[in-house]
Amino acid sequence: MAERARPPRLFLPGPTEARPEVLEAQNRRLIGHRSDEIHDLLDSIQPRLRRLFQTDHRVYVSTSSATGLFEAAVRNGVAERALCCVNGAFSHRWADVVAANGKAHDRLEVEWGAPITPELVVEALERRDDYDAVTVVHNETSTAVTSPVGEIADAVRERAPDALILVDTVSSLGGIDVPVGGWGLDVCLTGGQKCLALPPGLAFAAVSDRALERAREIPDRGWYFDWLVFERYLERSETPTTPAITLLYALDRQLDRILEEEGLEARFARHEAMARHVQGWALERFGILAREGYRSNSVTAVENTRGIDVGAMNAFLTERDMVVSNGYGKIADVTFRIGHMGDHTVEEMETLTATIDDFLERA
């Protein structure tokens, strides 16, 4: 069999590059998923996940994509009706998941590139007062827009105090400050392959006591994503089903890198510096889809104002050991996305943008 070509470094909005020491951490002997060894590993991981999420509540570990936790949040948190805030492809997907689970919902929808604001949420909550939950994406990966979730959560608590606040932080947690406890989020979900710079395959959900109590009141939650099942197994330092054990090894190593070797504040500052470089470059040469004041620190959706061939640009980059992402869904080709997340550095982003400049000159 012919040897596969070595893939280029990923400057995508996920999955992103995982450092060699994180990948190498997976090369340990497997352990039983009901063993003392897994108990010790999960007992070590849990308090560090809570530090990462900045919460005192439990953080469930799921061997799934974060989209699976969309379904978990719905099945455990929505009895009848949800308000779904939609400003891009992934917030739209969450609304679709609500509908696919047979729950009524209303969509608070804005144009792609715009944020969800607390004022818009207040207007929607004033039109109805029977929402079980509000779903919102903190950092919409398709448009690179960061919405002010802390302020939105305050608005929900004031106008609809019984509604759970369900938040997707898939492309922000671990790169942008998300104080789950300080914001009072009921469910905060994320995936490992973006700002956490892990191999894909693990998802995480910080779940409040209030959300857990809500789940007890809702029938037909299924089994695989039932919070009460997760809680029962967490209490004995296990997961409900066989976890991706090698990915837990990688997580164990990466949590040390994030929390001890770099520190959250330094990590947030590095993401901000990478964003500042990429967005300054993009504004000089193209444009940026996200409105000023709401631009993400982990990914930038560059407006393709020059009409370049994104595929040709990526072919050029791949020859130089790099790759970026096309736009997502209906904004493919009219935008392209640069992921400045995870363990990338400002120097790497400078090299990437200089290489794109080289392509532009040749093109």
Side-chain angles (χ1 to χ4, degrees):
M1 182 182 293
E3 185 176 349
R4 292 181 182 273
R6 183 172 181 267
R9 285 179 296 157
L10 302 179
F11 292 87
L12 311 177
T16 193
E17 282 292 294
R19 291 300 187 194
E21 60 266 37
V22 175
L23 295 174
E24 289 164 6
Q26 298 175 97
N27 295 326
R28 290 165 53 188
R29 177 171 286 181
L30 290 175
I31 57 179
H33 71 295
R34 301 287 182 244
S35 66
D36 290 342
E37 291 85 358
I38 199 73
H39 297 161
D40 291 343
L41 179 59
L42 290 173
D43 282 345
S44 170
I45 285 171
Q46 180 62 206
R48 287 179 289 159
L49 282 175
R50 295 183 189 193
R51 286 176 58 193
L52 179 69
F53 279 79
Q54 302 178 65
T55 182
D56 294 329
H57 293 302
R58 80 278 298 147
V59 179
Y60 297 136
V61 178
S62 176
T63 300
S64 69
S65 69
T67 303
L69 296 184
F70 281 5
E71 186 146 322
V74 172
R75 295 182 73 90
N76 289 272
V78 181
E80 299 291 341
R81 180 178 292 273
L83 173 65
C84 299
C85 303
V86 176
N87 66 329
F90 295 98
S91 46
H92 191 284
R93 177 184 295 178
W94 203 350
D96 287 345
V97 170
V98 174
N101 278 276
K103 309 296 184 180
H105 71 288
D106 298 306
R107 300 187 187 214
L108 166 56
E109 193 157 2
V110 299
E111 64 179 331
W112 288 29
I116 300 296
T117 65
E119 294 79 13
L120 291 172
V121 173
V122 167
E123 290 176 10
L125 294 176
E126 287 176 343
R127 289 192 290 269
R128 290 195 72 116
D129 61 0
D130 61 345
Y131 292 116
D132 299 310
V134 177
T135 72
V136 61
V137 173
H138 177 231
N139 198 70
E140 175 54 71
T141 313
S142 63
T143 62
V145 170
T146 303
S147 294
V149 161
E151 297 172 31
I152 291 168
D154 287 342
V156 173
R157 276 191 297 274
E158 180 178 347
R159 296 287 178 169
D162 292 334
L164 297 181
I165 304 163
L166 313 179
V167 180
D168 165 352
T169 62
V170 171
S171 60
S172 56
L173 193 123
I176 302 172
D177 192 12
V178 182
V180 173
W183 286 351
L185 309 183
D186 290 298
V187 175
C188 176
L189 62 90
T190 196
Q193 74 278 12
K194 296 184 185 281
C195 291
L196 300 183
L198 290 166
L202 290 179
F204 312 94
V207 176
S208 73
D209 291 341
R210 190 170 78 132
L212 197 62
E213 288 307 308
R214 176 67 58 81
R216 298 184 196 280
E217 302 169 1
I218 297 176
D220 304 323
R221 297 181 304 276
W223 192 91
Y224 193 84
F225 290 122
D226 184 352
W227 291 152
L228 302 186
V229 174
F230 272 91
E231 182 72 7
R232 188 163 68 247
Y233 279 86
L234 179 63
E235 288 173 351
R236 59 196 200 211
S237 303
E238 295 179 0
T239 55
T241 58
T242 307
I245 293 169
T246 55
L247 293 180
L248 293 179
Y249 294 155
L251 171 64
D252 182 44
R253 179 68 185 95
Q254 183 66 335
L255 286 171
D256 276 348
R257 292 189 71 259
I258 292 172
L259 297 172
E260 309 301 338
E261 297 174 21
E262 183 173 28
L264 283 178
E265 292 303 320
R267 194 172 184 85
F268 300 152
R270 177 169 53 79
H271 277 72
E272 184 178 358
M274 289 191 294
R276 190 162 52 244
H277 170 74
V278 171
Q279 290 164 11
W281 169 86
L283 287 171
E284 287 182 2
R285 289 155 181 78
F286 296 93
I288 294 177
L289 178 66
R291 294 180 182 176
E292 187 174 1
Y294 300 96
R295 291 170 182 161
S296 168
N297 280 352
S298 63
V299 55
T300 296
V302 181
E303 290 184 309
N304 187 7
T305 54
R306 295 172 177 239
I308 63 170
D309 184 330
V310 177
M313 180 181 71
N314 254 338
F316 182 88
L317 289 172
T318 298
E319 291 177 355
R320 289 148 184 83
D321 195 31
M322 302 173 227
V323 66
V324 298
S325 179
N326 202 335
Y328 195 92
K330 69 181 184 180
I331 55 173
D333 296 321
V334 298
T335 63
F336 62 91
R337 294 173 298 155
I338 296 175
H340 32 86
M341 60 172 60
D343 292 330
H344 281 307
T345 65
V346 173
E347 292 73 22
E348 288 174 316
M349 306 317 300
E350 291 171 344
T351 299
L352 173 68
T353 54
T355 306
I356 297 176
D357 283 343
D358 190 14
F359 168 78
L360 294 176
E361 290 176 7
R362 298 182 187 215

